């Protein structure tokens, strides 16, 4: 299972010379295994992914954690949606009333976007998921609701003995009584437990989080504690604040990890990163 | 160890923040959590009991009518919610773990996650002053 990052910025695309290392595109991660192509979120990074998709790919599965704009804004610019020879599946969170299709149509309609879903050469195949478990080829996917405003899923992808967990938008302490001492009662624990690689929201410094409680994101300190509690092997900090430059992200990582011992790897996620989980 | 669904975690977090007494049970009635308000009424502490199977917590206190006749389980709001998946409300007497006889009033409602996932029930209750 290969994991490639096409966007790890949070909230808003923010390309600039000061963000050259970690990138400015919003959430988009490609997971490939043999001829399977799974794309986690349709943020602005999916536009470039679409341009680089190999000709051998005839079927694509886009798994949306939620429908906030930074996770869907790239969908209309994803070239395979305009290529009738590629079958595109879109999987996303179910709600109690409105269908996923109806919610996606809000984006694929004026005034937000000129092309409607039913004007695409081939209508994408829509799948609603919640607390679900399903297979795409050899990859087993578990989805579970996690703490973030609006219906939001986290994903756990298992292929052979490798596990990749993806929670780009997740406010841990708001939904975790006695965090980090009670895994059973911690949002997202099941998804991240013993993962080889965890991509997790770490948008804020702890002091910034105090004035943003309820906005749906976590501080770097809470995310590191969560990764430790879950026993992951590698933590890649995700959903970088659009205002944070490369220099600030490096300083943030250094401040909260230097001279501390962790029994797992910690890094700031960066566009172009590739991970080979096997 | 498996994790609890987000909705129950948030319900517990909510209950933990409340002054009034709250019970949270799973779909078959096992007591998952009760807060400080409930501790003071029931005379037990969550830190000591932890979560409890339905048969265990049902024996901690004895629900009765005003003449101290035991109430059948389906006369209790929380039991009604568990069986009907609908809100229920009512008052009855209990003998708590300290042997005190209290009139309590209970409002219970189902915890349903999206989309249509029945996850258990929450009961809010309070001591009622007999006038």
């Amino acid at each position: 299972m290969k994991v490639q990052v096409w966007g790890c910025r949070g909230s808003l695309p923010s390309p600039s010379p000061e963000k050259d290392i970690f990138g400015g595109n919003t959430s988009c991660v490609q997971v490939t295994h043999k001829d399977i192509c799974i794309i986690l979120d349709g943020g602005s990074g999916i536009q470039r992914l679409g341009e680089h998709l190999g000709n051998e790919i005839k079927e694509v599965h886009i798994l949306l954690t939620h429908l906030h704009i930074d996770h869907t804004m790239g969908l209309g610019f994803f070239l395979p949606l305009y290529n009738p020879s590629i079958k595109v599946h879109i999987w996303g969170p179910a709600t109690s009333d409105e269908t996923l299709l109806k919610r996606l149509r809000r984006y694929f309609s004026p005034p937000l976007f000129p092309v409607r879903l039913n004007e695409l050469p081939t209508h994408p195949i829509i799948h609603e998921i919640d607390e679900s478990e399903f297979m795409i080829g050899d990859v087993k996917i578990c989805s579970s609701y996690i703490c973030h405003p609006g219906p939001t899923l986290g994903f756990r992808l298992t292929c052979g003995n490798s596990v990749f967990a993806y929670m780009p938008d997740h406010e841990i302490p708001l939904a975790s009584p006695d965090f980090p001492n009670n895994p059973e009662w911690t949002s997202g624990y099941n998804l991240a437990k013993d993962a080889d690689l965890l991509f997790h929201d770490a948008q804020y410094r702890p002091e910034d989080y105090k004035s943003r409680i309820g906005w749906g994101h976590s501080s770097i300190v809470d995310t590191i504690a969560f990764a430790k509690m879950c026993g992951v092997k590698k933590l890649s900090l995700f959903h970088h604040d659009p205002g944070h430059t490369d220099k600030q992200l490096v300083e943030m990582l250094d401040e909260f990890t230097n001279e501390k011992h962790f029994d797992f790897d910690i890094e700031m996620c960066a566009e172009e990163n590739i991970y080979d989980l096997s | 160890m498996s994790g609890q669904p987000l909705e129950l975690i948030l319900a517990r977090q909510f209950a933990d923040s409340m002054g009034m007494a709250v019970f949270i049970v799973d779909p078959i009635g096992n007591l998952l959590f009760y807060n400080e308000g409930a501790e003071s009424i029931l005379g037990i502490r969550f830190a000591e009991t932890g979560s409890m199977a339905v048969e265990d917590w049902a024996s901690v206190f004895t629900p009765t009518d005003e003449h101290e006749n035991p109430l059948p389980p389906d006369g209790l709001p929380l039991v009604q919610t568990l069986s009907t998946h609908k809100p229920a409300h009512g008052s009855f007497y209990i003998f708590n773990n300290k042997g005190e006889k209290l009139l309590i009033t209970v409002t219970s409602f189902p915890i349903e996650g999206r989309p249509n996932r029945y996850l258990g029930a929450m009961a809010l209750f309070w001591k009622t002053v007999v006038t």
Side-chain angles (χ1 to χ4, degrees):
Chain A
M1 183 162 59
K2 189 175 98 174
V3 177
Q4 183 165 2
V5 180
W6 296 87
C8 53
R9 187 64 59 172
S11 309
L12 182 75
S14 53
S16 75
E18 298 78 31
K19 294 163 190 161
D20 196 40
I21 297 173
F22 298 106
N25 280 308
T26 61
S27 303
C28 183
V29 174
Q30 182 184 19
V31 179
T32 50
H33 176 67
K34 298 177 185 170
D35 60 343
I36 298 298
C37 177
I38 298 168
I39 299 170
L40 303 173
D41 281 327
S44 65
I46 201 173
Q47 185 266 340
R48 186 160 164 263
L49 190 169
E51 290 178 344
H52 288 76
L53 207 60
N55 290 330
E56 73 283 5
I57 300 294
K58 297 299 174 198
E59 190 169 44
V60 172
H61 296 265
I62 302 172
L63 276 58
L64 300 174
T65 54
H66 62 308
L67 272 62
H68 283 167
I69 192 72
D70 54 324
H71 294 255
T72 54
M73 66 194 325
L75 289 175
F77 303 89
F78 184 52
L79 289 178
L81 280 173
Y82 302 88
N83 182 347
S85 67
I86 300 180
K87 189 184 286 185
V88 178
H89 299 256
I90 299 179
W91 307 69
T95 66
S96 300
D97 42 16
E98 268 194 314
T99 63
L100 177 61
L101 176 61
K102 192 171 177 184
R103 284 175 287 138
L104 284 170
R105 280 178 175 157
R106 284 195 203 155
Y107 166 72
F108 281 96
S109 62
L112 294 178
F113 197 70
V115 183
R116 295 177 192 273
L117 267 181
N118 58 10
E119 291 171 341
L120 296 172
T122 307
H123 198 296
I125 301 154
I126 309 295
H127 307 264
E128 292 200 358
I129 48 178
D130 46 89
E131 300 281 330
S132 305
E133 192 173 302
F134 53 99
M135 299 291 296
I136 297 177
D138 294 335
V139 181
K140 183 174 88 172
I141 295 149
C142 297
S143 61
S144 193
Y145 289 110
I146 57 175
C147 186
H148 186 70
T152 302
L153 297 168
F155 294 115
R156 179 184 178 94
L157 283 70
T158 306
C159 184
N161 295 321
S162 304
V163 175
F164 169 49
Y166 178 70
M167 285 177 265
D169 293 45
H170 185 208
E171 186 168 1
I172 307 165
L174 198 63
S176 312
D178 195 27
F179 177 75
N181 303 313
N182 204 344
E184 182 191 356
W185 287 89
T186 299
S187 168
Y189 170 72
N190 266 4
L191 297 174
K193 186 183 176 196
D194 299 327
D196 296 290
L197 175 64
L198 167 65
F199 282 10
H200 196 285
D201 186 342
Q203 180 160 350
Y204 303 134
R205 303 172 67 86
E207 61 269 28
D208 296 330
Y209 175 66
K210 287 176 188 167
S211 59
R212 293 165 171 80
I213 293 171
W215 290 18
H217 302 289
S218 294
S219 77
I220 181 171
V221 170
D222 286 335
T223 293
I224 291 172
F226 177 75
K228 181 181 177 187
M229 183 188 78
C230 295
V232 307
K233 295 185 180 67
K234 186 181 186 72
L235 168 64
S236 192
L237 302 165
F238 205 88
H239 206 274
H240 308 314
D241 190 285
H244 285 167
T245 63
D246 290 336
K247 182 169 178 286
Q248 288 171 310
L249 289 174
V250 169
E251 287 171 354
M252 191 162 129
L253 182 65
D254 287 348
E255 180 180 345
F256 295 102
T257 59
N258 275 359
E259 298 177 14
K260 294 185 175 71
H261 172 72
F262 299 101
D263 52 6
F264 56 95
D265 297 329
I266 307 175
E267 64 168 23
M268 283 289 175
C269 197
E271 251 177 80
E272 306 285 337
N273 277 6
I274 295 176
Y275 308 81
D276 192 2
L277 304 181
S278 53
Chain B
M1 179 198 304
S2 62
Q4 297 288 351
L6 175 66
E7 295 83 351
L8 289 182
I9 293 173
L10 290 171
R12 174 173 170 166
Q13 189 77 313
F14 172 65
D16 198 36
S17 313
M18 298 271 283
M20 69 187 306
V22 182
F23 246 44
I24 298 171
V25 297
D26 71 11
I28 58 170
N30 294 315
L31 179 56
L32 297 174
F33 180 71
Y34 54 95
N35 66 357
E36 284 183 2
E39 287 177 346
S40 76
I41 291 177
L42 301 176
I44 52 176
R45 287 179 50 78
F46 184 72
E48 292 166 3
T49 66
S51 54
M52 288 190 276
V54 61
E55 57 273 17
D56 293 334
W57 72 260
S59 63
V60 169
F61 59 89
T62 312
T64 70
D65 64 16
E66 60 184 322
H67 305 297
E68 301 185 7
N69 300 309
L71 289 177
D74 59 6
L76 305 173
L78 184 55
V79 175
Q80 291 169 10
T81 293
L82 285 168
S83 54
T84 65
H85 300 186
K86 295 186 185 311
H89 179 82
S91 297
F92 53 88
Y93 289 84
I94 62 166
F95 284 94
N96 70 11
N97 204 41
K98 297 173 187 168
E100 300 166 326
K101 182 180 178 182
L102 304 170
L103 175 61
I104 64 168
T105 300
V106 179
T107 293
S108 58
F109 53 88
I111 299 175
E112 291 180 354
R114 54 168 84 96
N116 304 316
R117 292 160 42 243
Y118 175 62
L119 300 166
M122 180 183 277
L124 290 78
F125 56 104
W126 55 96
K127 279 191 279 191
T128 306
V129 178
V130 183
T131 56

